[in-house]
Amino acid sequence: MTKNFKWLLLGMSLLLTFCSKMDVTTTQSFTIQSELLPYFQSFAVEGLKRGVTVDISQVGGALTDIADAKVAGQCQYSSATGHHVLIDLPYWITSTTLKREFVVFHELGHCLLGRTHLNDANADGTCVSMMNSGDGGCRSIYSQQNRSSYLDELFLHK
């Protein structure tokens, strides 16, 4: 084999490896990137546990670079193309599973539950809701210990 051919093969295998990480699952007319799909499915399960049915086939999801460094995720609303959850790729790469869940659930709260931001604080200054805007009105502390109460508030808030 020639040296150039070896480099070509190496480049092709790296490209195929990268592309395989970008697998997607199509739900009706929406696409959910494979890394996000378990979080979308978990969102639906957590809703059902609380008597709330959500249809994740009605929203798309992708990892992307979001220009604003302060933004970890976005719900893009569109009557023409449907709602899409976008999660900042650099944030995703450096985040724990719990932080990933938080941002995906927050954005799905917007896209599927129609929730707006709620910046109310508990007496200790922690956020009442995972639907807080993150810009200082309260301290967002999402952990295994308070996960259930935050999810109750997310799905059952009236």
Side-chain angles (χ1 to χ4, degrees):
M1 264 195 244
T2 68
K3 191 174 188 179
N4 287 341
F5 186 69
K6 287 180 185 177
W7 282 111
L8 178 64
L9 283 177
L10 177 62
M12 294 286 286
S13 66
L14 288 173
L15 179 61
L16 289 173
T17 300
F18 175 75
C19 289
S20 70
K21 297 203 181 292
M22 301 303 281
D23 290 343
V24 295
T25 297
T26 300
T27 56
Q28 292 182 9
S29 61
F30 296 95
T31 301
I32 302 170
Q33 198 167 331
S34 62
E35 291 88 347
L36 296 175
L37 185 60
Y39 296 91
F40 278 56
Q41 292 168 331
S42 178
F43 183 85
V45 168
E46 292 297 336
L48 284 175
K49 287 180 185 176
R50 292 158 177 85
V52 177
T53 302
V54 291
D55 185 358
I56 63 170
S57 71
Q58 298 303 307
V59 65
L63 296 171
T64 188
D65 285 319
I66 296 175
D68 187 339
K70 296 177 184 176
V71 176
Q74 296 176 328
C75 170
Q76 292 185 335
Y77 298 96
S78 171
S79 57
T81 61
H83 300 341
H84 288 84
V85 169
L86 302 177
I87 305 298
D88 186 54
L89 182 59
Y91 175 85
W92 185 265
I93 290 169
T94 61
S95 292
T96 65
T97 300
L98 205 56
K99 286 182 179 181
R100 290 174 177 180
E101 178 181 85
F102 179 89
V103 72
V104 171
F105 281 25
H106 175 97
E107 297 309 329
L108 288 172
H110 290 306
C111 280
L112 289 175
L113 301 176
R115 294 287 307 268
T116 59
H117 286 142
L118 177 63
N119 291 320
D120 295 351
N122 294 308
D124 65 358
T126 59
C127 298
V128 168
S129 175
M130 72 185 325
M131 293 307 300
N132 68 83
S133 64
D135 54 5
C138 58
R139 286 188 334 274
S140 184
I141 302 173
Y142 185 67
S143 67
Q144 285 298 338
Q145 292 74 25
N146 64 19
R147 179 180 182 269
S148 183
S149 62
Y150 271 112
L151 296 181
D152 288 347
E153 191 284 329
L154 175 67
F155 288 102
L156 303 176
H157 176 76
K158 301 291 178 204

